[in-house]
Amino acid sequence: MTPSTPLRGLAVLALAAAAAPVLVITPAQAHTGAASAASSPDSVRYAWVKSCPKKDYTIPCGRWTLTMRSGKTIKLTDARVNPENANGKVDKDGAALFAISGDGRFVNYFKGDKLVVRDVNSGKVRPLPGKAATLPKGLGMNEVDTTISHDGSIVVVDYYDEAGTLPSLVADMRTGKVVKLSAANNVLSFSATGTHLLTSRFTDDNTTEFAVFDTDGHKTASQVVPQIVSNNAPVALADDGNTVAVIVTGASRKHRLHTYDLAADTVSDPVALGIPRNENAQRLFWDSAGALTLWTSRDDENENPVFAVKRTVNAETGAARKVDSYKVRGGTWTWWLPGE
C-alpha cells in the first residue's frame, strides 16, 4: 500500500479494465434501477477512487468507481468521496468510508449524510434502518467505520468517539432490526451466512478475548485466545460459530494456515498454503460449504501493490486454486476488495 492509503488497503484493476465501458449512475437512476446491471447477476471486483496531486502529496478525487466482473465500470455519483468532520467541514484530503459485501453484490457508503446499501444489480439504494443510518451528534464521518456481511444483509456500524463508549450497531437490512454491541468489542469477521459475528477485545490482563455474537446480539462463545491467533491475520469465522481460520506468515515468508477451536481452546497443526512467498494475505472467508476464499497481493520494490489474486483454499490440506487475478491500477488513492 502507498502511504496515502487509509485503513482498508487493497483493491485491484482487471486486465481489461482500460477498455471497459463506463456507466455513470445518478441518484435518480439508483432508485429506479434504470441503470441497473444486465439481467444476469453481476458483482464488484473492486471499488476505487483515483488520486490527484496537491502540492507535495495526493488527494482522493473523482467518483467512487466500481469495476465489475462483467468488465463494466460504474461511477457512483451519489456516493460521498470526501467525509465531513463533526463541525460540518469537508475533509478534502481524506476519503469517506466504503465497503463491499464478500459476494460483491452490495456496496455500503455515505449518500449525503446517511449510510446506505446499494444493490449493484437492481440499482436500489436503501438507508440503514433506524439510528444506524445517521451519525450520533458530535461525530464526523471519519469517526465511523462499517463491516458488511457476505450477502450484504447485515451491516455493523462502529463508532470511534473520544470516550470510546458508544456501542456498535448491528443493522439487519432484511428485518429493519438494530441491536447494540459493546464498544469494547472490535468486529473481525462475519460467518458465511451472517448468523455469527466474531469480535475481539483487549482485557485488563493484556490478553485478547475473542467473542462470538448472534444476530440478536447475544454472546454465543468467548475465549481468551493464544497469541498465535490474536497476533496474526487475516482471520475468518466459520458458520458453526466456533471454528476460526487464521493465516500465519513468519519472517521466512512461508504462509501457514491454522484453525482454532474456540470451545476447546485448541490450535490445529499448521498446513502449508500453496501460494508464493512474495504475496501478502489480505482477506480470508469461509463459505457455507466449509471451504475458504483467500485474497492475496504482491508488492513491488517500493511496497506498492502491483497484483492481486483470489484463491479457494482447502482448510484441511492448504491446497489453493487460483480463481481470479488482477493487475493493480496505477494512480489510485484508495481501493477496496469484496469483504472490505
Side-chain angles (χ1 to χ4, degrees):
M1 289 177 280
T2 61
S4 62
T5 303
L7 294 178
R8 292 192 183 180
L10 175 76
V12 286
L13 184 65
L15 296 174
V22 176
L23 176 64
V24 177
I25 292 187
T26 66
Q29 289 171 323
H31 285 284
T32 63
S36 64
S39 56
S40 59
D42 204 353
S43 60
V44 180
R45 278 181 157 168
Y46 59 92
W48 53 277
V49 172
K50 71 177 181 178
S51 176
C52 291
K54 182 179 180 181
K55 296 181 179 178
D56 58 348
Y57 63 100
T58 61
I59 60 173
C61 58
R63 302 288 188 182
W64 278 109
T65 304
L66 309 178
T67 295
M68 310 296 289
R69 289 195 60 81
S70 63
K72 181 169 56 180
T73 299
I74 300 175
K75 291 186 180 294
L76 302 179
T77 63
D78 64 335
R80 180 182 285 274
V81 173
N82 301 117
E84 279 189 5
N85 296 327
N87 60 10
K89 184 178 179 180
V90 175
D91 177 11
K92 294 186 178 181
D93 292 345
L97 68 80
F98 201 95
I100 311 171
S101 63
D103 64 8
R105 298 188 180 186
F106 297 88
V107 291
N108 167 225
Y109 53 85
F110 273 109
K111 177 182 178 181
D113 61 355
K114 291 186 181 296
L115 283 167
V116 301
V117 170
R118 172 198 289 275
D119 182 324
V120 299
N121 283 286
S122 70
K124 184 177 181 180
V125 176
R126 293 191 296 156
L128 270 59
K131 292 183 178 180
T134 55
L135 291 176
K137 186 176 180 180
L139 284 190
M141 293 177 181
N142 53 357
E143 297 170 301
V144 63
D145 199 9
T146 59
T147 305
I148 188 168
S149 65
H150 183 81
D151 65 356
S153 63
I154 303 174
V155 180
V156 179
V157 186
D158 286 314
Y159 303 111
Y160 303 125
D161 54 305
E162 187 173 347
T165 57
L166 283 175
S168 300
L169 300 182
V170 183
D172 193 317
M173 300 297 294
R174 300 163 298 189
T175 66
K177 186 175 182 178
V178 178
V179 299
K180 296 179 180 180
L181 286 182
S182 169
N185 294 92
N186 301 307
V187 176
L188 297 178
S189 171
F190 273 104
S191 64
T193 58
T195 53
H196 295 94
L197 182 66
L198 179 67
T199 68
S200 70
R201 74 175 184 91
F202 293 110
T203 72
D204 290 338
D205 297 323
N206 292 323
T207 58
T208 301
E209 179 191 72
F210 277 12
V212 178
F213 295 86
D214 63 20
T215 53
D216 292 321
H218 300 138
K219 186 186 293 186
T220 61
S222 66
Q223 190 71 254
V224 173
V225 301
Q227 287 187 352
I228 194 172
V229 177
S230 63
N231 291 355
N232 287 284
V235 299
L237 178 68
D239 253 352
D240 61 8
N242 179 70
T243 306
V244 178
V246 58
I247 293 179
V248 177
T249 305
S252 66
R253 299 296 303 162
K254 292 181 179 179
H255 305 283
R256 303 178 303 279
L257 175 69
H258 293 264
T259 55
Y260 173 68
D261 187 313
L262 273 167
D265 189 25
T266 56
V267 181
S268 73
D269 292 334
V271 294
L273 285 174
I275 61 175
R277 294 189 186 188
N278 63 347
E279 292 185 13
N280 306 305
Q282 295 290 333
R283 301 293 299 174
L284 185 68
F285 309 98
W286 290 94
D287 65 21
S288 56
L292 289 163
T293 295
L294 171 65
W295 280 97
T296 64
S297 68
R298 188 168 71 243
D299 297 344
D300 63 18
E301 62 277 7
N302 297 317
E303 298 186 353
N304 297 313
V306 294
F307 215 72
V309 182
K310 179 182 180 182
R311 293 180 176 88
T312 57
V313 176
N314 184 305
E316 294 183 356
T317 67
R321 181 174 65 87
K322 185 186 297 187
V323 294
D324 210 348
S325 61
Y326 316 85
K327 282 185 176 179
V328 175
R329 183 186 191 278
T332 299
W333 195 85
T334 190
W335 46 86
W336 274 253
L337 286 168
E340 292 188 318

